[in-house]
Amino acid sequence: MEAMLQGLVIIGGLTFSLAASLLIEELIFGQIVRTAFARRPEIPKPNPHHAPRN
């Protein structure tokens, strides 16, 4: 039981540390995290049926 509690404390501490570091990074550098995980716009593929004719 004590080992399980100790593991829970370690996991909680690591999670808190990660959350705090991401918050500090976001406050200092701004939009870096959001731009890193943002979806990139898809480039439309050319449609051969609508190609310009000469």
Side-chain angles (χ1 to χ4, degrees):
M1 184 69 180
E2 188 176 329
M4 186 177 74
L5 184 61
Q6 188 176 10
L8 187 62
V9 168
I10 291 171
I11 291 171
L14 289 173
T15 305
F16 178 76
S17 175
L18 178 64
S21 65
L22 285 174
L23 177 65
I24 291 169
E25 188 273 338
E26 183 69 21
L27 291 174
I28 293 173
F29 296 110
Q31 304 286 323
I32 292 177
V33 172
R34 272 181 245 169
T35 56
F37 294 110
R39 291 185 182 176
R40 295 185 179 146
E42 293 183 15
I43 300 171
K45 296 177 182 175
N47 190 345
H49 299 293
H50 295 289
R53 296 181 184 176
N54 292 334

